[in-house]
Amino acid sequence: MKNIVVTGGSGKAGRAVCRHLVDEGYEVLNIDMQPSSDPVCPFYRVDLNDRGQVMDALQWTGGKDHPFRKFATPDAVVHLAAVPAPDLLPEDVTFRNNMMSTYNVFDAALRTGIKRIVWASSETTLGLPFSPQNPPAYAPVDEDHPMRPESAYSLSKDLGEEMARQMQRWNPGTTFIGLRLSNVMEPADYERFASWQDTPRFREWNLWGYIDARDCAQSVRKALHVDFVGADHFIIANADTVMERPSADLMREVFPDVPMRGAVEGRQTLLSIEKARRVLGYEPQYNWGAP
């Protein structure tokens, strides 16, 4: 599992994933529409909404000395490319882009013999944005929480998970791992966290969660190697919240009627990562208090 194609490798999570995989000794190809600001690996410009271009990217043979020749048979695809959040583009544009690009990547990977796909689903599938009017069913939220997409973006991720399940069913022996990523943060973003401390409702929408881009990269690497065949999904967040206050206090103030499942200690995340810990061996290494 050494030759990895990363779609969206120029984005916020993608840059961290490409750098981490390269640092760990992988051969990585970034396919995206724009080059990365951190060009640690070869870049190939591909419109993922064009199925022919995606097939070309995954079947690349190159010349004898071409730097992409090693990707004639990728070992896995990490699919991160997407319109990355709601409200950035009109709803229909977001939905069409995310659905078609995901279908094209999944389909092309299977047709070229790639048996492992790790891809970015989203925490938003669980009902975000949460509010006192739209609270979670319980907390900490885990993978058993009802799927409640509230936007075209989250609906595209919800349907992407169903697409993964059905395509895996058509192709026994393959592995699809969807990572329900929390709000991706880089170290430079941590400067903003101080401004949130007096207004807990500013970040209530995702239960004060986040994921350090470097821990996102770790979760991708763990998903590439976990001994698993099938289709599954995992919440990926950091072990703490973006707040200095204890998580139980935040829930009592903002979501007093939401049932708590088990004890929540200190600033423990309210987006449960227990399944990712248990199955993937994921364990966050970074946090905003000590980046």
Side-chain angles (χ1 to χ4, degrees):
M1 197 68 65
K2 282 296 184 181
N3 292 344
I4 312 298
V5 171
V6 177
T7 77
S10 301
K12 197 172 192 178
R15 292 192 300 271
V17 169
C18 288
R19 174 161 289 280
H20 178 68
L21 293 179
V22 168
D23 287 348
E24 291 291 322
Y26 295 79
E27 300 289 350
V28 180
L29 173 64
N30 170 24
I31 63 176
D32 207 322
M33 288 295 290
Q34 300 295 331
S36 175
S37 60
D38 184 20
V40 297
C41 62
F43 165 73
Y44 193 30
R45 190 183 305 276
V46 176
D47 180 356
L48 296 177
N49 285 292
D50 185 319
R51 184 169 175 275
Q53 291 187 38
V54 181
M55 289 291 294
D56 174 75
L58 298 187
Q59 290 181 318
W60 188 276
T61 57
K64 180 180 179 182
D65 298 320
H66 198 286
F68 295 167
R69 185 172 177 82
K70 61 175 69 79
F71 293 99
T73 307
D75 295 308
V77 171
V78 176
H79 176 46
L80 305 176
V83 176
D87 302 325
L88 298 178
L89 294 171
E91 293 274 87
D92 66 307
V93 176
T94 297
F95 183 82
R96 183 168 58 249
N97 176 85
N98 289 2
M99 289 304 299
M100 287 310 305
S101 61
T102 298
Y103 175 82
N104 287 341
V105 170
F106 286 5
D107 181 65
L110 295 169
R111 289 178 184 272
T112 53
I114 298 169
K115 293 186 177 297
R116 182 160 298 234
I117 299 169
V118 177
W119 68 286
S121 184
S122 170
E123 64 182 358
T124 63
T125 59
L126 299 168
L128 280 59
F130 293 130
S131 69
Q133 295 73 40
N134 181 44
Y138 56 84
V141 170
D142 59 17
E143 288 80 1
D144 293 328
H145 190 275
M147 297 286 275
R148 299 188 331 210
E150 300 286 349
S151 65
Y153 169 81
S154 55
L155 181 60
S156 75
K157 295 297 187 177
D158 185 355
L159 295 177
E161 291 191 8
E162 181 62 22
M163 188 190 309
R165 283 189 288 270
Q166 299 304 331
M167 286 189 164
Q168 197 284 328
R169 181 176 62 85
W170 300 343
N171 297 272
T174 59
T175 298
F176 287 76
I177 296 180
L179 303 176
R180 292 178 178 171
L181 301 177
S182 189
N183 189 191
V184 179
M185 299 288 182
E186 295 176 312
D189 295 318
Y190 294 149
E191 296 176 3
R192 296 183 287 146
F193 284 27
S195 67
W196 301 339
Q197 301 309 313
D198 295 330
T199 54
R201 295 203 168 189
F202 187 72
R203 295 287 303 188
E204 69 187 13
W205 60 273
N206 77 336
L207 300 183
W208 307 279
Y210 75 106
I211 176 64
D212 188 291
R214 296 164 293 183
D215 282 321
C216 172
Q218 177 214 152
S219 73
V220 167
R221 178 171 56 83
K222 295 292 180 66
L224 287 171
H225 291 281
V226 65
D227 185 10
F228 168 75
V229 174
D232 208 348
H233 46 265
F234 301 86
I235 293 172
I236 301 297
N238 271 72
D240 58 346
T241 71
V242 303
M243 303 296 287
E244 295 174 351
R245 288 177 56 187
S247 299
D249 288 355
L250 293 169
M251 289 299 296
R252 280 192 291 268
E253 176 180 336
V254 181
F255 298 107
D257 298 324
V258 171
M260 299 298 292
R261 292 194 171 180
V264 175
E265 299 180 359
R267 298 172 49 246
Q268 176 184 328
T269 179
L270 294 160
L271 301 170
S272 176
I273 55 175
E274 292 311 305
K275 181 179 176 183
R277 282 171 160 154
R278 184 179 71 255
V279 178
L280 301 181
Y282 167 71
E283 188 60 50
Q285 301 297 310
Y286 301 92
N287 64 72
W288 68 279

